[in-house]
Structures are given as C-alpha cells and as structure tokens.
Amino acid sequence: MIRKMKDFWTSLDETTIISKRELFLGIVAVALAGLALGMIFTPKKTVTIGSNNSGNGCNCGNKGIDGDDDTEEA
C-alpha cells in the first residue's frame, strides 16, 4: 500500500497542460463544493440582528409622533 502511494506521489511530478477554462472551472467547482459542505456540516446557530431592546424604535428622549410633550400649550 505504501509503495502504491509513493508511486502515485512520484507520478505527480509529470507535466500536463490544461486550458485556462479548465483551471477556472476546477477552482470554481472546488470553491462551491467547499461552500456547500461548510453550510451542511456547521452546527445550527441563531443569528440576531439588532439589540432586542424593548420599545418601538429609538425614542432617545425625542418627542413622540403625536407631539406628547409636557410643555405643550393649552
């Protein structure tokens, strides 16, 4: 078995010619396979966008939409 692996390893030194299209498509195929396998085998996670603070938006001390203010004229 080890002899077969050594023979295979030495056979990798041979020069072969491939087109740029084949090289590009091979790289794209490997990248997409890695992306797909990464999405399949990653553990489930929960993603939260935002801070989960209570309230309807950030009032930050500003007047409300109705103009509810204590200094409102009667």
Side-chain angles (χ1 to χ4, degrees):
M1 182 71 175
I2 293 177
R3 183 175 180 139
K4 287 183 180 181
M5 290 185 344
K6 285 182 182 180
D7 290 340
F8 173 72
W9 188 256
T10 56
S11 70
L12 293 177
D13 290 334
E14 297 175 6
T15 303
T16 57
I17 299 173
I18 62 170
S19 68
K20 290 180 183 179
R21 182 177 295 160
E22 287 176 322
L23 179 63
F24 175 74
L25 292 176
I27 291 170
V28 168
V30 168
L32 290 176
L35 185 69
L37 289 174
M39 284 191 280
I40 291 171
F41 291 115
T42 54
K44 299 283 183 190
K45 296 177 182 147
T46 57
V47 176
T48 303
I49 299 175
S51 62
N52 284 337
N53 289 338
S54 61
N56 297 327
C58 180
N59 292 333
C60 302
N62 297 329
K63 291 186 200 177
I65 295 174
D66 297 335
D68 297 337
D69 197 12
D70 292 339
T71 60
E72 203 173 287
E73 296 179 17

